Amino acid sequence: MFKKAKVDSEPVIEVRNLVKNFGGRRVLNGVNLKIYKGEVMVIMGGSGCGKSTLLRHIIGILKPDSGQVLIEGKDINSLKARELDKIRLKIGMLFQSGGLLDYMTIKENIALPLTEHTNLDKNVIDIIVNLKLSMVNMRGMGHLLPSEISGGMKKRAGLARAIAHDPSYVFYDEPTAGLDPVVAGVIDKMILDFSKKLSVTSVVVTHEMQSVFRIASRIAMLHMGEIVEVGTPRQIKASKSKLVQQFITGSPDGPISFSQLGDDYLTELTKK
């Protein structure tokens, strides 16, 4: 069972009253969230509810209209470029698609954070890359291009790149999206293993309920741009909120109506 975070300690990441608008539409509406060292915080919610937007604010890709994001007590939006870069060097990111560069081999993709941000000797980088490939069960595949491997392997290679520089924080954007249940289970196990073995703080954005309850030490539910509940998996399962219960059970009946579903969700429906 995953070790619980010490919630009585100071958070390593804190979101305070975060507000973001796009084209007159409020995507984040006063979000508050505390994330503690060593935990796996899962942010769940329907497509288009603002999960990925929140994640992009936490890693500093987007700037809020108001509110703050603090990492290790520092407001990242008030930092100078050099100071922000130092914070970002502590962060690893697994993108929904894997985010691999098509023209680079798997090995070159994994080595990229090390070649760009360190002065390590090439031989040392090769050793690190091979170690990370082994950690995601892809030893001997570093010479392949992203186009030559499966979707699940791309996620695993992306995960190897995310942990290449031994970050303090790893962020996952829909890590099991589009994967079959067995491969999704493998990715979930790797997230847990890395969180324990590498002592990292993990933030996972997903709406895959099996994954949520398999990996989370705490869960935050985001709905219509607001955090509506935060708790352990046991607390979330026992929640008296009809909104939370509707989401975790997948019921079509409840306070979440079709008209409230995000634009991303509606767009996906039109593609099917």
Side-chain angles (χ1 to χ4, degrees):
M1 191 171 179
F2 195 86
K3 183 180 179 181
K4 290 183 179 179
K6 294 182 179 180
V7 295
D8 56 340
S9 61
E10 287 297 313
V12 290
I13 300 172
E14 184 174 3
V15 179
R16 295 179 179 173
N17 301 313
L18 198 68
V19 173
K20 185 65 176 180
N21 299 289
F22 287 114
R25 177 185 170 220
R26 180 150 294 188
V27 179
L28 298 176
N29 187 27
V31 171
N32 289 282
L33 184 64
K34 293 180 179 180
I35 300 166
Y36 297 90
K37 185 176 181 179
E39 73 175 336
V40 178
M41 168 60 78
V42 173
I43 302 171
M44 71 177 190
S47 295
C49 74
K51 301 187 304 297
S52 293
T53 300
L54 175 57
L55 195 64
R56 286 174 172 81
H57 278 84
I58 295 175
I59 62 178
I61 293 176
L62 293 176
K63 289 186 177 292
D65 294 331
S66 62
Q68 295 176 300
V69 174
L70 285 75
I71 298 181
E72 298 178 357
K74 298 177 181 179
D75 181 354
I76 62 172
N77 294 299
S78 65
L79 296 178
K80 294 181 179 179
R82 184 173 295 181
E83 294 173 311
L84 182 57
D85 286 343
K86 287 181 180 179
I87 293 289
R88 284 176 172 164
L89 287 175
K90 297 183 177 183
I91 293 172
M93 179 78 195
L94 176 60
F95 297 94
Q96 185 172 342
S97 62
L100 302 175
L101 298 175
D102 293 335
Y103 59 87
M104 287 185 170
T105 65
I106 300 304
K107 189 172 183 178
E108 289 169 340
N109 268 282
I110 297 170
L112 193 59
L114 301 171
T115 56
E116 289 291 315
H117 301 297
T118 74
N119 295 316
L120 292 174
D121 184 82
K122 183 181 182 300
N123 291 331
V124 175
I125 291 177
D126 285 343
I127 292 171
I128 294 172
V129 170
N130 287 329
L131 174 62
K132 303 307 179 183
L133 280 169
S134 295
M135 291 176 73
V136 297
N137 298 320
M138 290 186 67
R139 179 180 286 276
M141 298 182 184
H143 65 287
L144 299 174
L145 291 168
S147 60
E148 298 175 304
I149 60 176
S150 68
M153 287 181 179
K154 288 178 183 177
K155 290 285 180 78
R156 283 154 54 193
L159 184 49
R161 185 180 62 186
I163 61 170
H165 58 299
D166 296 327
S168 300
Y169 313 98
V170 181
F171 298 89
Y172 304 84
D173 190 5
E174 300 286 1
T176 59
L179 302 179
D180 68 58
V182 174
V183 176
V186 169
I187 297 296
D188 286 342
K189 186 177 185 301
M190 287 181 176
I191 292 172
L192 279 177
D193 285 347
F194 295 154
S195 294
K196 294 175 184 177
K197 294 175 181 177
L198 303 179
S199 299
V200 301
T201 302
S202 303
V203 181
V204 183
V205 160
T206 186
H207 58 259
E208 304 284 348
M209 296 315 303
Q210 257 195 320
S211 292
V212 169
F213 291 113
R214 190 153 47 197
I215 66 176
S217 45
R218 285 197 307 139
I219 300 164
M221 180 167 174
L222 190 65
H223 177 65
M224 296 185 71
E226 298 180 1
I227 299 289
V228 295
E229 191 150 353
V230 180
T232 65
R234 181 176 294 181
Q235 289 169 335
I236 294 297
K237 284 182 178 179
S239 172
K240 295 182 180 180
S241 166
K242 292 182 179 179
L243 190 151
V244 172
Q245 286 300 322
Q246 182 188 359
F247 189 80
I248 65 177
T249 61
S251 173
D253 302 314
I256 304 175
S257 66
F258 187 82
S259 62
Q260 290 176 335
L261 296 173
D263 294 339
D264 293 346
Y265 183 81
L266 298 176
T267 300
E268 287 301 314
L269 285 182
T270 62
K271 292 178 181 178
K272 297 180 179 180

